[in-house]
Amino acid sequence: MLRERAGRILLPFLFGMFFIVPISVLIWQYYYHRELSYNYHPGHLWFLGNIFVYVVMLSPIFFCLKGNENGKLVTWVKKLLSNPLGLLPVIAAFIAEALLVDPNPYEMYAMTWHGFFLGLLAFFFGFCFVLSGDTFWKMILKWRWLFIVAAVTFYTYRLFQFQMRVPGYQSAIESNCWIISVFSFGYKYLNHPGKVLNYLSQAIYPVYILHMIFLFLASMLIFPPDMEIHLQFILVFLFTGIGCFVTYEFIIRRVNIIRPLFGLKMKRYTVK
């Protein structure tokens, strides 16, 4: 199971770094009249590499916790996360990361140590949330308005600061409030099986891997013409979304041999 999940992260990451990202770079070079050359790079897929490292690093802990779901430690975690005050240690961990790493700006997390540790904390606590099960989800559902009010309050304060700059620890608190709010309202309104939700959940990984190609291609085609900027934004958005989903639907989803390159399992066909 671990090998399968790690493979579904590592293979798309390597494929993207050596094939998907170089295509987007070539589009960028062509647009700016640069010499065309092959360049491999993690690009927008850098976080997949991080996730692979997280899986390797944290798997012993996760196996230990999962294998002792009735143990004292897991019982304590579930009890802790059954109360909104139980989120204080979670938020405190992100505050500590902001103070120790001192990122400037806080939003600069792509391919930085700040991004690595931020993702590591999110990965670990995300596992704890799932491990806690209904006790956690029912708690955030009950207190969802508290979280959204806190998030809006912190955002409003930041809105009136010079260039919206606030200390990193405050950004950490606000970010956590927004994330928990999204979880709580998503649990209330999106926690229902359906064809559309199932389709989108399958498509999101390939679309993420693929989207920079269509974003760069859309920008190359749409930005040069003299048209209203808001219309350009809408056209780029539509071109990128439609291009990604059409490619997913008619190629990635249907061509069995390339499905693993985009993080999907190969379909198994039974011989009649």
Side-chain angles (χ1 to χ4, degrees), residues 172-247:
I173 297 172
E174 182 187 338
S175 299
N176 275 267
C177 291
W178 281 118
I179 291 169
I180 298 300
S181 298
V182 171
F183 283 170
S184 60
F185 283 92
Y187 180 74
K188 181 173 178 61
Y189 295 108
L190 299 177
N191 190 30
H192 308 286
K195 292 183 178 180
V196 174
L197 191 60
N198 182 62
Y199 180 86
L200 293 176
S201 65
Q202 289 288 318
I204 189 169
Y205 199 6
V207 168
Y208 163 65
I209 294 170
L210 198 61
H211 81 279
M212 287 301 290
I213 290 179
F214 287 99
L215 180 61
F216 278 31
L217 187 60
S219 301
M220 182 183 72
L221 298 174
I222 296 170
F223 283 158
D226 185 16
M227 66 176 70
E228 205 271 331
I229 187 65
H230 295 91
L231 178 59
Q232 287 182 322
F233 173 80
I234 294 172
L235 290 175
V236 168
F237 176 79
L238 291 175
F239 185 98
T240 304
I242 293 172
C244 288
F245 277 99
V246 167
T247 305

Side-chain angles (χ1 to χ4, degrees), residues 2 49-63 113 116-117 120-121 123-124:
L2 173 62
N50 283 14
I51 293 176
F52 178 76
V53 175
Y54 303 155
V55 170
V56 174
M57 288 177 58
L58 297 176
S59 287
I61 299 175
F62 291 166
F63 279 128
W113 282 114
F116 179 84
F117 291 122
L120 182 65
L121 291 174
F123 198 80
F124 173 75

Side-chain angles (χ1 to χ4, degrees), residues 46-157:
W46 63 274
F47 194 60
L48 293 183
N50 283 14
I51 293 176
F52 178 76
V53 175
Y54 303 155
V55 170
V56 174
M57 288 177 58
L58 297 176
S59 287
I61 299 175
F62 291 166
F63 279 128
C64 181
L65 293 174
K66 193 67 177 175
N68 296 275
E69 290 196 58
N70 296 320
K72 292 183 179 180
L73 181 57
V74 175
T75 301
W76 177 80
V77 170
K78 291 181 178 180
K79 184 177 181 181
L80 179 69
L81 294 176
S82 66
N83 189 294
L85 294 178
L87 292 172
L88 292 180
V90 177
I91 297 175
F94 284 92
I95 292 174
E97 187 277 331
L99 293 174
L100 293 172
V101 179
D102 192 24
N104 186 26
Y106 186 84
E107 299 79 10
M108 186 61 70
Y109 51 81
M111 291 182 282
T112 64
W113 282 114
H114 169 54
F116 179 84
F117 291 122
L118 202 63
L120 182 65
L121 291 174
F123 198 80
F124 173 75
F125 287 118
F127 176 85
C128 292
F129 295 161
V130 174
L131 184 67
S132 298
D134 288 342
T135 56
F136 170 76
W137 297 108
K138 289 179 179 178
M139 180 274 291
I140 64 171
L141 178 65
K142 178 181 179 181
W143 294 96
R144 64 189 183 278
W145 292 108
L146 171 66
F147 302 130
I148 193 68
V149 168
V152 171
T153 300
F154 279 108
Y155 172 75
T156 303
Y157 175 82

